[in-house]
Amino acid sequence: MPPDEHELRDLRARAYGPNADIQSDPVALARLSELEAAHLPKPIEDATDVVRADGADDGTVADPTEPASERSPAPSSAEPQSPFLRLVSTWAGRISLLAGALVVILVTASTVSWFFAPHPDARLDRDPIPADGVVFSMLDFLGAEVDVSTLQRYEAQWGVEPWYFEDEYGFQCLMLVIRPSVVEGANCVPPNVSLFADLTPWPRIRGEDVEPLPDGSILRFHYRGDRVEMFVYPASEADG
């Protein structure tokens, strides 16, 4: 045992032993303090004084013996939220998401219905030609009291002239005129009800250069306001 440790042991015995007398010996007491201080363990370096190589201040101690280039970066304290999570984190975001989903559903349903719905065989736009004696004679034949200001002709198709008018009861009417003196498929409905008129064609309606439709076929003229749409429903041979 080194001499200073022998001396420290003896002084500790005088200070802490059963016959302690060091308090009456200032020189021995000072020597004890000196030796105690010399034999204390070295203080451990404060981890907060060690500077991380990447400059992070999250309390992680960097190994000073490890090269800075080989140290793994410190993990982020909080992972960034995805755009979807940020959107649904508020009521306004949820409402916006719901509204967008409804729009997509409506657009999809409209697109699907358009693909599967029957499409007209002809679109007949408004025709500015005014009503003549033939038209008025057909109206007299039908016994209709017509608001003349509502009379509207649409483009002819296969010799059939669609005429729209409103009667004295406010009903909407569609009359199909075949010149020189035939009226076919006149129909009247209350407002806001789908308006159409049907006729069963015969060969001369189609014209000489067009194959006639089978017996029992139907031409349907749908009134759409700014136009009339014509649908052709050929009868099958089995129906004949």
Side-chain angles (χ1 to χ4, degrees), residues 106-156:
L106 291 176
V107 170
T108 303
S110 176
T111 302
V112 171
S113 64
W114 184 89
F115 274 109
F116 288 97
H119 298 292
D121 295 277
R123 171 190 170 121
L124 311 178
D125 295 323
R126 289 176 177 175
D127 193 329
I129 297 177
D132 57 7
V134 173
V135 174
F136 284 112
S137 65
M138 296 298 102
L139 293 173
D140 290 339
F141 173 76
L142 293 174
E145 295 292 334
V146 180
D147 181 356
V148 179
S149 65
T150 63
L151 269 172
Q152 175 63 58
R153 182 185 190 271
Y154 291 83
E155 294 175 330

Side-chain angles (χ1 to χ4, degrees), residues 15-237:
Y16 312 121
N19 299 315
D21 63 349
I22 198 171
Q23 296 297 329
S24 61
D25 188 349
V27 175
L29 187 61
R31 180 58 178 166
L32 175 62
S33 298
E34 180 182 348
L35 292 175
E36 290 277 15
H39 284 77
L40 287 176
K42 293 183 179 180
I44 300 174
E45 185 178 11
D46 191 351
T48 58
D49 293 336
V50 179
V51 179
R52 288 177 48 83
D54 57 357
D57 57 355
D58 57 357
T60 305
V61 179
D63 185 354
T65 62
E66 182 182 3
S69 60
E70 297 181 3
R71 297 173 193 162
S72 59
S76 174
S77 59
E79 292 293 334
Q81 284 187 331
S82 67
F84 176 78
L85 292 178
R86 289 199 301 269
L87 181 64
V88 299
S89 62
T90 63
W91 275 109
R94 297 187 194 109
I95 293 174
S96 298
L97 183 63
L98 179 60
L102 290 176
V103 169
V104 172
I105 292 173
L106 291 176
V107 170
T108 303
S110 176
T111 302
V112 171
S113 64
W114 184 89
F115 274 109
F116 288 97
H119 298 292
D121 295 277
R123 171 190 170 121
L124 311 178
D125 295 323
R126 289 176 177 175
D127 193 329
I129 297 177
D132 57 7
V134 173
V135 174
F136 284 112
S137 65
M138 296 298 102
L139 293 173
D140 290 339
F141 173 76
L142 293 174
E145 295 292 334
V146 180
D147 181 356
V148 179
S149 65
T150 63
L151 269 172
Q152 175 63 58
R153 182 185 190 271
Y154 291 83
E155 294 175 330
Q157 181 72 10
W158 298 344
V160 181
E161 297 177 9
W163 285 86
Y164 169 83
F165 62 90
E166 296 176 9
D167 66 10
E168 71 273 25
Y169 303 107
F171 280 27
Q172 297 177 321
C173 303
L174 189 63
M175 175 180 67
L176 305 178
V177 174
I178 303 173
R179 293 181 183 270
S181 59
V182 178
V183 60
E184 287 277 352
N187 189 25
C188 293
V189 297
N192 302 319
V193 176
S194 179
L195 173 61
F196 63 89
D198 291 344
L199 66 82
T200 300
W202 56 90
R204 72 182 182 86
I205 292 180
R206 297 297 304 272
E208 296 179 357
D209 57 342
V210 180
E211 186 71 20
L213 291 171
D215 291 342
S217 299
I218 293 176
L219 297 182
R220 175 163 293 176
F221 294 80
H222 260 285
Y223 172 74
R224 305 297 190 191
D226 63 334
R227 68 191 185 280
V228 169
E229 294 176 345
M230 189 190 76
F231 297 83
V232 180
Y233 298 106
S236 66
E237 294 182 359

